[in-house]
Amino acid sequence: MDLWDSVLRMISALAVVLALMMVVVVVARRVMGTRAGTVADAPLVRVLSTGYLGPKQSISVVSVAGEWLIIGATATELISLGRVSPQTHRKAEVKAEVEGQMGSEVNMRDSAS
């Protein structure tokens, strides 16, 4: 009888401990959310663009917490190549767009004459 009593005590103690652990997990998820410290549907890291230079070599523009990083990647390492502010990138896009439109207008004038 002593053996069965100790086995029963051990199993009941284990059940109590597991139940307490499950309660702690449920309460923690409700208090902190599914991912503590992050906003839902807003990834912290996003790959904005990638250009491949050769086999297992690429350059990527990555957004990390609102900051844009230029990263070179090889088969064995990642190298930080620089940073770009999103405002600088937008200005360059607008400038290229305007220059492209001006170039097409010049080409149209040349072909018309």
Side-chain angles (χ1 to χ4, degrees):
M1 276 293 212
D2 290 332
L3 177 65
W4 291 111
D5 285 339
S6 63
V7 169
L8 185 60
R9 277 188 188 180
M10 181 178 65
I11 291 174
S12 61
L14 179 62
V16 168
V17 168
L18 291 175
L20 285 174
M21 288 174 61
M22 288 174 39
V23 167
V24 167
V25 168
V26 168
V27 169
R29 282 193 178 165
R30 284 193 180 175
V31 170
M32 291 187 283
T34 55
R35 295 174 69 189
T38 60
V39 177
D41 299 331
L44 184 63
V45 178
R46 287 187 316 157
V47 177
L48 301 174
S49 179
T50 299
Y52 295 96
L53 304 174
K56 299 183 182 179
Q57 296 177 343
S58 64
I59 294 178
S60 299
V61 178
V62 181
S63 172
V64 180
E67 187 173 355
W68 290 10
L69 305 173
I70 303 171
I71 296 177
T74 66
T76 57
E77 61 186 331
L78 294 173
I79 303 166
S80 176
L81 300 175
R83 296 169 190 249
V84 177
S85 70
Q87 293 82 13
T88 303
H89 182 264
R90 300 220 193 290
K91 287 178 187 175
E93 278 183 339
V94 169
K95 183 177 178 184
E97 200 172 297
V98 168
E99 288 175 353
Q101 288 175 354
M102 293 175 93
S104 64
E105 289 173 6
V106 169
N107 290 338
M108 289 172 67
R109 274 188 267 155
D110 291 342
S111 62
S113 54

